[in-house]
Amino acid sequence: MGKKRSGGGLTGPQQAAKFLGVSVLSGVVLAGIAIPGAGALGLAAKGTVEGFDEIPANLKTPPLSQRTTILDSEGGLIATVYSRDRQVVPITAISPYMQKAIVAIEDSRFYEHGAIDLKGILRAVNRNAQEGGAAQGASTLTQQYVKNVFVEEAGDDETKVREAQEKSLGRKIRELKYSIQVEEELGKNKILENYLNITYFGQQAYGIESAARRYFSKAAKDLTLDESAMMAGVVQSPSRYDPVNDSQEATKRRNIVLQRMADIKDISQDEADAAKAKPLKLKVTKPKNGCITAVKGAGFFCDFVRNTFLDDTAFGKTREERAKVWNQGGLTVRTTLDPQSQDSVNESIKDHVDQDDKVATAVTLVQPGTGRVLAMGQSKPYGFGKNETQINFSVDKKMGGSNFGFPTGSTFKAFVAAAALEGGLPPTKMYQSPYDMEYPSPVRTCGDKPWVNSDRPAARVENETESEVGPYGMKEAMAKSVNTYFVEMISEIGLCPVTEMTAKLGVIQADGVKLPEVPAIALGSQGMSPLTMANAYATFANRGVYCTPVTIESITDSHGKALTVPKSKCGRAMTERTADTINTLLLGVVDSGTGQQSGLTDRQSAGKTGTTDSRYNAWFVGYTPNMAGATWVGSGGAKQVSMENITIGGQYYDKVFGGGLPGPIWKQAVSGALAGREAPSFTTVNIPDTPTPSPGGKPSGKPTKPGKPGRGGDGKPGDGKPGRTAGQTGGTTGGDTGGTGGDDPLGGITLPPGIIGGRD
């Protein structure tokens, strides 16, 4: 290997090698410019360099990745997300000082030479030969722009990025060929504009507009002389000249740029000296990216919008294609989020549940008839810190939710009743509804094999208190949430009508697994998400027509072109008569049943409470004719918390139940969301009262008395006496998970511990 001479120059072999490289390069350049037909002359090593004429001259410039803006339904900003923080602007929106500064320091002969600056190449070779290194480069702004195009096209692929930046003769020659094309097609001003928009300026800022806002919190058009010089100086080495982390180096580099501008007469020496004397005076705006920056507590809604985009084939055939579009950015996404509703949800959550409580709450509001998701919030904020989470408690697992969702308790009974009514069962139907009973067996399923109560001893179900004894009609049973009534109902109509009804209502388990055909589903043993429950109940409000949930109203790309956005798909799930009957039944729940603390005072509202065994979960799902919502309170983590003798939101609860905490959260959230808005009424049906049972269990002929708040069906999951709930291996004991022996009534289906509920 050759050595440097004592004077610091290159040895003879090194000079020869350097000269040979430049000769080849110059020959190729001249061939490409003057003698296109002889472009391959002098290129002997095909393994190293392609023939110049064989290189395609059609540089495909990829669209620059930009930030995506997510807006609420009124056009207010929710969040800004991006793969690369960039805002493309025209050259007229870039300070003239900035234009001159970047040209002065990177390519002062930019407006004098063509795609390649031969003087610059020879000057660089001479300087480098004298100094024995790469003291000076020879790339023009056009060449740098072409290289940045390759880097941009590589995206996050590290291998492609390295290839785009490799210091090889082959890459350099391809860069030169494309530079000739770019000069011919774009012209100098457009090249400069593109260069300033594509270049990386450090601190996660791509392009001059984002960089100006990052370092100085101002637009690129407002950059002063000294600010422009600093920005131009950063480009050569964004890490070395980072003004945030090393102001001294950044200042030195800025002053070099200023002097260069003076040397080429872009500014006077006095202007340069005055600018050099100024301190940097940064006004840094920290990078803000992703749903963690969302306002109005809408981080989880923002994340749901992103997951909706990535999951919908309307935006690309494969998830990879959709991800590429999303990461490319430059989108303006207008969503269905209603600011008034979101504010009300946030306020209600804040007033009832604290961020550092042992349990959490989630609230989701939707619009009946449109499927529009109006609000989504939870007490554990979106984030990575203590008492924060990235799990969206309101949605299914595949959309960023919890692994299994949350057992819904007696809120599921409305679906059983809807299936029965749709099948012709009258709302006056009475069942004996004893306090305690074995699950009837066999029960018809959708297949040939019925469900059989094969546990030994047989699985049992019981009501909340021993005094809760029938016979009951549907009206009283729904208001009091009588467990045995609905078990008898599902035993009569079979399981298939129930699973068929839930399918029409979009009711699926949060983990995506099909609902099991077991009688315990009547008591809400399966894990669901609040969005699923809210949207299903919205079908009742919409008089039997189900609409799929939607979050995106419109999307435009970086050029203002509208993308096709999927609309809500609506279809009849039940007759109007069935829906009106359910509405009448659930009006009774808030008027005189377990949900009295949840009813609105200025308009009609209906709903259903739910509390699961051991009080691990409590629900209220309610609605008006123009808004439906679900509130869940429970354990958001792997450890289940029994909500007895517990303080939540600074208030002590001896026992939490659906009507006692979720109900008031729902009430405050919906009251604020609907404030000042129309108050339509339900279409109801007449359901005659049924006789009240006598102490001996026989009808007395007297009308049923309304239950007191907090008692009866939703007062507690169980009375503590042993009992078995069909649908879980080993059953449950009086509201506590447990039990012994017996065959698995789920037929081998394994459920997470603690999700079997059914008490209310």
Side-chain angles (χ1 to χ4, degrees):
M1 179 181 291
K3 299 181 180 179
K4 288 185 181 181
R5 294 177 296 174
S6 59
L10 298 179
T11 63
Q14 287 176 320
Q15 290 185 20
K18 178 71 72 174
F19 178 76
L20 178 61
V22 174
S23 297
V24 171
L25 195 58
S26 299
V28 171
V29 171
L30 290 172
I33 294 174
I35 321 171
L41 294 177
L43 301 179
K46 283 204 172 186
T48 305
V49 178
E50 296 175 333
F52 192 73
D53 285 347
E54 295 174 8
I55 301 173
N58 56 337
L59 177 67
K60 295 181 180 180
T61 306
L64 299 182
S65 57
Q66 301 183 61
R67 61 174 60 181
T68 284
T69 303
I70 300 177
L71 308 174
D72 62 32
S73 62
E74 296 181 358
L77 178 66
I78 295 176
T80 300
V81 299
Y82 51 79
S83 172
R84 291 181 175 176
D85 184 14
R86 177 188 283 118
Q87 298 177 73
V88 176
V89 294
I91 198 166
T92 53
I94 302 173
S95 166
Y97 285 127
M98 186 66 221
Q99 298 177 44
K100 292 179 180 180
I102 199 71
V103 169
I105 197 63
E106 292 295 322
D107 185 3
S108 61
R109 286 171 33 80
F110 176 62
Y111 289 102
E112 300 171 24
H113 59 65
I116 295 92
D117 184 6
L118 292 180
K119 281 188 178 181
I121 291 174
L122 296 175
R123 184 178 63 249
V125 169
N126 182 56
R127 176 71 62 83
N128 294 343
Q130 290 177 353
E131 300 186 7
Q136 189 176 75
S139 290
T140 64
L141 273 181
T142 306
Q143 290 172 263
Q144 292 181 47
Y145 166 64
V146 169
K147 181 178 72 173
N148 279 325
V149 168
F150 293 147
V151 172
E152 181 73 19
E153 191 173 30
D156 296 326
D157 188 321
E158 294 182 2
T159 300
K160 290 183 178 180
V161 171
R162 284 196 299 270
E163 290 174 354
Q165 296 177 322
E166 67 179 350
K167 296 181 179 180
S168 68
L169 189 59
R171 197 270 297 170
K172 195 72 174 178
I173 291 175
R174 286 192 295 274
E175 183 182 287
L176 292 174
K177 182 68 176 283
Y178 286 126
S179 296
I180 295 170
Q181 173 208 342
V182 167
E183 286 270 352
E184 291 176 349
E185 293 182 356
L186 299 184
K188 293 293 187 180
N189 284 342
K190 188 63 177 177
I191 291 172
L192 180 59
E193 175 185 300
N194 289 359
Y195 176 84
L196 286 170
N197 277 305
I198 200 172
T199 297
Y200 180 56
F201 286 87
Q203 288 289 320
Q204 301 179 36
Y206 290 81
I208 187 60
E209 182 70 15
S210 291
R213 295 184 184 278
R214 178 79 73 252
Y215 293 117
F216 298 108
S217 299
K218 62 170 60 175
K221 66 182 178 63
D222 298 323
L223 291 172
T224 61
L225 171 60
D226 55 303
E227 292 168 346
S228 297
M230 189 215 79
M231 300 276 278
V234 166
V235 170
Q236 186 182 81
S237 179
S239 57
R240 178 181 176 184
Y241 301 123
D242 183 350
V244 176
N245 296 316
D246 195 336
S247 60
Q248 187 173 358
E249 279 295 307
T251 300
K252 289 180 181 178
R253 178 65 177 168
R254 179 201 66 178
N255 292 347
I256 289 173
V257 175
L258 289 167
Q259 187 57 51
R260 181 60 180 162
M261 293 178 73
D263 290 344
I264 63 174
K265 309 302 181 183
D266 276 341
I267 59 174
S268 68
Q269 189 61 53
D270 288 343
E271 288 177 302
D273 292 342
K276 289 178 187 179
K278 293 182 179 180
L280 290 183
K281 288 187 178 179
L282 298 178
K283 188 178 180 182
V284 178
T285 298
K286 293 183 179 180
K288 292 183 178 181
N289 178 29
C291 292
I292 198 170
T293 67
V295 299
K296 294 181 178 291
F300 293 102
F301 179 84
C302 168
D303 189 64
F304 184 50
V305 169
R306 181 183 68 87
N307 280 312
T308 297
F309 187 98
L310 296 177
D311 189 61
D312 201 311
T313 54
F315 304 114
K317 293 182 179 179
T318 66
R319 189 175 180 88
E320 289 72 23
E321 288 181 15
R322 298 189 289 271
K324 185 175 182 180
V325 174
W326 183 263
N327 292 333
Q328 190 67 55
L331 307 174
T332 299
V333 183
R334 192 161 186 141
T335 70
T336 61
L337 190 78
D338 175 56
Q340 179 176 326
S341 298
Q342 184 67 20
D343 286 343
S344 185
V345 164
N346 291 336
E347 194 67 25
S348 183
I349 290 172
K350 181 181 177 182
D351 288 349
H352 290 91
V353 182
D354 293 337
Q355 179 178 340
D356 58 356
D357 284 339
K358 294 180 180 179
V359 295
T361 187
V363 181
T364 298
L365 303 181
V366 300
Q367 186 176 60
T370 66
R372 290 160 53 92
V373 180
L374 302 175
M376 183 178 288
Q378 64 189 51
S379 57
K380 302 289 184 187
Y382 187 94
F384 305 90
K386 185 178 180 181
N387 294 315
E388 296 178 338
T389 182
Q390 290 180 280
I391 298 174
N392 187 348
F393 299 142
S394 287
V395 301
D396 293 341
K397 177 183 178 181
K398 77 169 186 174
M399 303 302 284
S402 64
N403 286 336
F404 300 105
F406 310 103
T408 60
S410 291
T411 59
F412 198 92
K413 290 172 181 173
F415 307 143
V416 179
L421 292 167
E422 193 72 358
L425 208 69
T428 54
K429 176 69 178 182
M430 298 185 71
Y431 291 106
Q432 288 302 310
S433 312
Y435 159 68
D436 173 80
M437 61 181 283
E438 289 185 4
Y439 275 88
S441 176
V443 180
R444 296 187 307 279
T445 64
C446 293
D448 297 331
K449 187 178 180 181
W451 178 86
V452 177
N453 190 350
S454 57
D455 274 9
R456 294 295 179 269
R460 304 184 67 85
V461 60
E462 63 186 26
N463 294 328
E464 307 302 335
T465 63
E466 292 186 20
S467 63
E468 202 167 79
V469 177
Y472 289 110
M474 196 181 300
K475 185 177 180 180
E476 295 77 21
M478 186 68 79
K480 292 184 176 181
S481 198
V482 180
N483 289 339
T484 56
Y485 178 92
F486 288 94
V487 168
E488 288 183 281
M489 175 182 283
I490 206 170
S491 299
E492 177 178 347
I493 67 174
L495 291 160
C496 199
V498 177
T499 56
E500 288 176 346
M501 175 58 69
T502 54
K504 293 177 183 178
L505 295 172
V507 176
I508 58 172
Q509 294 188 127
D511 59 5
V513 177
K514 184 180 178 181
L515 279 174
E517 291 187 84
V518 295
I521 63 173
L523 309 181
S525 58
Q526 309 309 120
M528 311 287 179
S529 69
L531 176 58
T532 291
M533 296 300 292
N535 209 50
Y537 271 56
T539 308
F540 301 142
N542 197 33
R543 303 193 71 193
V545 176
Y546 169 79
C547 297
T548 56
V550 291
T551 59
I552 300 174
E553 284 190 353
S554 66
I555 300 180
T556 55
D557 64 16
S558 58
H559 303 291
K561 179 183 177 182
L563 304 185
T564 300
V565 173
K567 304 300 181 182
S568 178
K569 297 177 181 178
C570 299
R572 183 158 293 282
M574 65 191 75
T575 65
E576 286 188 352
R577 177 74 180 182
T578 294
D580 292 343
T581 304
I582 292 293
N583 294 338
T584 304
L585 292 170
L586 298 187
L587 277 166
V589 172
V590 298
D591 286 342
S592 59
T594 60
Q596 290 183 69
Q597 297 180 58
S598 314
L600 304 181
T601 57
D602 62 340
R603 64 189 68 223
Q604 280 189 321
S605 61
K608 186 72 186 75
T609 56
T611 310
T612 65
D613 286 353
S614 301
R615 303 188 187 278
Y616 290 148
N617 302 275
W619 288 76
F620 184 79
V621 187
Y623 57 100
T624 69
N626 55 348
M627 184 172 288
T631 299
W632 160 84
V633 178
S635 309
K639 183 180 179 180
Q640 296 288 291
V641 177
S642 179
M643 292 184 287
E644 295 188 11
N645 300 315
I646 188 172
T647 297
I648 303 174
Q651 181 173 339
Y652 173 79
Y653 295 85
D654 56 349
K655 295 176 181 179
V656 171
F657 55 93
L661 178 56
I665 295 173
W666 180 93
K667 179 178 181 179
Q668 182 179 337
V670 174
S671 293
L674 290 176
R677 294 174 173 175
E678 62 177 334
S681 299
F682 290 109
T683 299
T684 58
V685 299
N686 180 40
I687 304 176
D689 289 332
T690 53
T692 303
S694 65
K698 296 180 180 180
S700 67
K702 298 179 181 179
T704 303
K705 293 178 66 177
K708 294 181 179 180
R711 297 190 179 275
D714 196 49
K716 56 182 179 180
D719 65 358
K721 294 188 176 182
R724 302 289 298 280
T725 300
Q728 181 189 26
T729 304
T732 61
T733 59
D736 294 317
T737 304
T740 58
D743 296 328
D744 181 3
L746 286 180
I749 297 175
T750 302
L751 298 176
I755 76 162
I756 297 299
R759 316 307 168 107
D760 192 67

